[in-house]
Amino acid sequence: MDHSPKTAQTAAQPLTSRPGTTPLAGQIRVPGDKSISHRALMFGALADGETRITGLLEGEDVLRTADAMRALGADVTQLGAGQWHVRGQGRGRLQEPKDVLDMGNSGTAARLICGILASHPIFAVLTGDGSLRSRPMKRVTDPLSGIGARFAGRAGGRLPLAIEGTATPTPLVYRLPVASAQVKSAILLAGLNAEGETVVEEPEATRDHTENMLRHFGATVSVEVQGHGRVVRLVGKPRLTAADIVVPGDPSSAAFPIIAVLIVPGSAVTIDNVGLNPLRTGLFTTLQEMGADLTVANERIEGGEPVGDLIIRAGALQAVEVPRSRVPSMVDEFPVLAVAAAFASGTSRFRGLSELRVKESDRLTATAALLSVNGVSVEIEGDDLVIHGSGGKPPAGGGKVETHMDHRIAMSALVLGLGTAAPVTVDDAAFIETSFPHFADLMRGLGADIVSA
Ligand code: S3P
């Protein structure tokens, strides 16, 4: 398998989506959850014994993590589609990598690996593609310096970043200045090799896959709910033991076919096996508030995470106001929610989107641009996004969207073009491979008209 990451040097892949004459229909699965997939490979590499993973996302981002874990001494093998084995040496036993670790487009991989390396007595250098090299890393390197690790990076702490981990990490007590599961996870992972208790206070609850999976591998992690936030405590130096992991479908990936179904009249689709962790389902709550016909069937627990099958039918949508407190539970879903809002009746407002400015692109600006170039009236007011819906009538479309190396901007634009009056083109769909391999094929299987531009 070619594991080379897509980079700005790779030939751009323009794609066009065209409004169809037929509804979307079918029953599908989306790829495995990206957050859980990264963690499964990483935690498997930190544990004693063989971790067996089913349903792993084989997107570029996760393949970068697989390569990094190999470079750090773990045995990582693909046995079949989504079936992976990881053999680790046990906590604290990673080896120094012989070369630079290239994390491609993945902020999650880069930030979590910073946490892992910070409490190993080894030297490593992390880099990434043009998007990742522009993203802030001080949010992890500042607190991790407090455990005794040393970092040297470009201006603003950006990649490439040299890391000198410490053999004697001090456990941190840290209050997150931004609601970020990546920062929380980096600190907890560094705390694995520290003597004593690492404490992370988050003012807003963020996805808790790290806490859940660390427990699954045998660590003691306690969580105290405090208002909208949480205090997470990890007891250092646990024995981490290999454990099987079943990765559910990614709710953030399911978001794209869901919105496509909602905006193409007459459509009805079932998406099986989607992760329903309550810290990830802000989009579903919001869509229900918009009047979307979205129901969950067969709710069950699989591999320790709630999952269910989603049944979605097209229909009229009302404008919605998304409160700031809901942002962490749907932080990656705003570009495609904005597409739904463009078709709704009335004006929608999404509050408090400052974190979108530091995603794979400045997603707040890129989302507004993708709509406005296609005839949708949209404003950014401070950190809020305000979208004036068309009331169900197709927006004009016809625009060429700049994706800025951002998979979610590319997929959102392609979804938009399925419901506009004229086709929508994206300048480069290559980055979709980071999180959603075969996205265009899956959508075509539902009846979507997506072609090379
Ligand atoms: C992720 C956390 C989120 C999200 C990213 C995955 C994770 O980032 O945007 O796609 O797996 O922890 P932040 O925690 O920085 O908001």
Side-chain angles (χ1 to χ4, degrees):
M1 181 186 297
D2 177 13
H3 284 184
S4 58
K6 297 286 184 279
T7 68
Q9 285 78 47
T10 309
Q13 294 172 19
L15 275 188
T16 297
S17 63
R18 301 187 292 209
T21 45
T22 51
L24 304 180
Q27 185 164 6
I28 54 171
R29 282 186 174 227
V30 292
D33 189 277
K34 181 157 70 72
S35 295
I36 296 177
S37 295
H38 281 299
R39 286 162 174 81
L41 292 170
M42 290 177 191
F43 297 7
L46 296 175
D48 248 328
E50 186 157 279
T51 290
R52 294 179 299 184
I53 309 167
T54 313
L56 190 88
L57 165 64
E58 288 162 352
E60 293 289 344
D61 276 13
V62 175
L63 298 178
R64 295 287 97 198
T65 289
D67 284 349
M69 292 304 116
R70 285 191 189 104
L72 291 166
D75 188 2
V76 181
T77 325
Q78 184 190 24
L79 298 180
Q83 306 283 332
W84 290 63
H85 280 195
V86 183
R87 180 171 285 282
Q89 305 290 319
R91 182 191 51 71
R93 302 225 185 89
L94 293 179
Q95 295 160 18
E96 184 164 277
K98 294 192 180 68
D99 202 349
V100 171
L101 302 175
D102 185 348
M103 304 326 303
N105 194 250
S106 178
T108 305
R111 297 199 177 109
L112 270 57
I113 286 172
C114 276
I116 290 172
L117 296 177
S119 65
H120 280 81
I122 55 184
F123 172 79
V125 179
L126 292 186
T127 192
D129 69 13
S131 158
L132 186 55
R133 279 184 274 114
S134 73
R135 296 181 67 184
M137 297 299 288
K138 269 187 175 301
R139 52 181 53 205
V140 289
T141 58
D142 279 353
L144 292 172
S145 300
I147 74 159
R150 299 200 310 168
F151 298 90
R154 287 163 63 231
R158 290 179 160 76
L159 303 184
L161 180 71
I163 305 172
E164 228 181 290
T166 172
T168 51
T170 316
L172 283 183
V173 177
Y174 190 70
R175 185 174 167 81
L176 296 182
V178 285
S180 167
Q182 293 179 359
V183 180
K184 171 177 66 176
S185 301
I187 293 168
L188 292 172
L189 290 170
L192 285 173
N193 296 322
E195 196 76 63
E197 197 174 65
T198 293
V199 183
V200 185
E201 257 181 69
E202 44 179 5
E204 302 281 347
T206 65
R207 65 192 67 192
D208 58 359
H209 306 303
T210 295
E211 297 90 306
N212 297 342
M213 210 184 284
L214 281 176
R215 275 195 213 102
H216 188 57
F217 279 84
T220 302
V221 183
S222 69
V223 177
E224 188 189 325
V225 175
Q226 280 191 352
H228 286 301
R230 292 175 170 210
V231 181
V232 183
R233 293 190 171 82
L234 165 77
V235 179
K237 302 211 161 175
R239 168 122 203 261
L240 295 179
T241 310
D244 291 353
I245 293 177
V246 181
V247 183
D250 195 327
S252 300
S253 295
F256 300 101
I258 289 173
I259 305 295
V261 171
L262 293 175
I263 64 171
V264 175
S267 299
V269 166
T270 300
I271 310 179
D272 289 332
N273 196 47
V274 179
L276 295 175
N277 179 312
L279 294 171
R280 298 287 299 280
T281 50
L283 176 75
F284 305 155
T285 308
T286 304
L287 290 174
Q288 277 157 347
E289 288 171 2
M290 295 175 83
D293 187 348
L294 174 113
T295 52
V296 180
N298 301 324
E299 257 193 276
R300 58 203 183 265
I301 301 286
E302 260 179 31
E305 292 275 347
V307 297
D309 305 331
L310 301 180
I311 302 158
I312 314 109
R313 289 188 190 82
L317 297 173
Q318 306 303 317
V320 72
E321 182 160 323
V322 181
R324 176 185 297 269
S325 58
R326 196 181 293 163
V327 173
S329 66
M330 53 180 296
V331 68
D332 291 332
E333 281 68 88
F334 284 99
V336 77
L337 177 66
V339 170
F343 288 80
S345 298
T347 296
S348 293
R349 180 180 286 269
F350 310 157
R351 292 191 186 274
L353 304 188
S354 55
E355 274 297 294
L356 268 67
R357 296 187 195 273
V358 291
K359 294 296 176 190
E360 286 81 332
S361 66
D362 172 351
R363 252 185 211 161
L364 186 51
T365 306
T367 301
L370 95 81
L371 293 179
S372 69
V373 77
N374 285 295
V376 179
S377 168
V378 56
E379 289 116 41
I380 297 172
E381 291 181 2
D383 291 333
D384 295 356
L385 188 63
V386 179
I387 297 152
H388 305 284
S390 65
K393 171 169 139 281
K400 181 163 182 180
V401 172
E402 286 184 59
T403 51
H404 303 284
M405 306 175 84
D406 188 332
H407 53 134
R408 299 198 202 278
I409 295 298
M411 288 186 278
S412 299
L414 291 171
V415 167
L416 175 67
L418 301 176
T420 43
V424 170
T425 297
V426 299
D427 63 349
D428 189 3
F431 287 86
I432 293 174
E433 280 296 307
T434 61
S435 70
F436 202 145
H438 313 300
F439 167 75
D441 287 340
L442 188 94
M443 295 302 294
R444 287 184 196 113
L446 295 175
D449 187 1
I450 299 179
V451 292
S452 296

